[in-house]
Amino acid sequence: MNDCIFCKIIVGDIPSNILYQDELLVAFPDLNPTAKMHILVVPKNHQANVSILAAENPKTLQRLVSVSQNLANQFANGDYRLIFNTGSTVGQSVFHVHAHVVGGETLPE
Ligand code: AMP
């Protein structure tokens, strides 16, 4: 997608500190972290949201959860909150599916 910021990060047109990548996923720190650990895990294939990902690429979603756990083990104490904002009214601003992996400190409920 020509104007997708995460597609540009995936192909290297926008620099980012890539923390992990494999053939399906890439992970990098959120530009505006809301906790000590705030990492985005992003499928390389452009799809708009997690519902579409689950329907069309369930193995990628399964991998995403596994990678999120590994990142939380590496960058926090293994605990993490996994957030998929889905739709503009609940805060989705980038319409390329991504998981926020948040933790590294005690979070409000
Ligand atoms: P959402 O609001 O759920 O769509 O999440 C989009 C997230 O992408 C926000 O938390 C932004 O801070 C983050 N973001 C936007 N641009 C970049 C970037 N270039 N590098 C890292 N994170 C970004």
Side-chain angles (χ1 to χ4, degrees):
M1 298 287 280
N2 289 341
D3 58 353
C4 171
I5 193 163
F6 289 170
C7 284
K8 288 179 180 168
I9 289 174
I10 288 162
V11 300
D13 286 351
I14 294 177
S16 185
N17 175 20
I18 302 296
L19 301 173
Y20 173 85
Q21 69 172 316
D22 60 29
E23 77 279 15
L24 297 177
L25 299 166
V26 63
F28 48 86
D30 195 291
L31 202 57
N32 299 297
T34 61
K36 284 183 183 163
M37 175 183 71
H38 188 167
I39 299 168
L40 300 176
V41 184
V42 183
K44 287 183 171 175
N45 191 29
H46 182 100
Q47 287 171 311
N49 63 51
V50 68
S51 295
I52 296 169
L53 179 68
E56 296 188 0
N57 297 98
K59 286 189 174 168
T60 303
L61 182 57
Q62 184 180 31
R63 175 82 65 86
L64 184 151
V65 175
S66 164
V67 166
S68 297
Q69 178 67 69
N70 291 342
L71 289 165
N73 293 343
Q74 186 177 351
F75 293 101
N77 66 350
D79 294 351
Y80 63 100
R81 184 174 289 175
L82 197 59
I83 301 166
F84 294 93
N85 292 324
T86 306
S88 57
T89 60
V90 299
Q92 187 175 6
S93 61
V94 177
F95 290 84
H96 179 137
V97 57
H98 54 282
H100 298 256
V101 183
V102 182
E105 61 186 78
T106 301
L107 299 179
E109 287 186 12

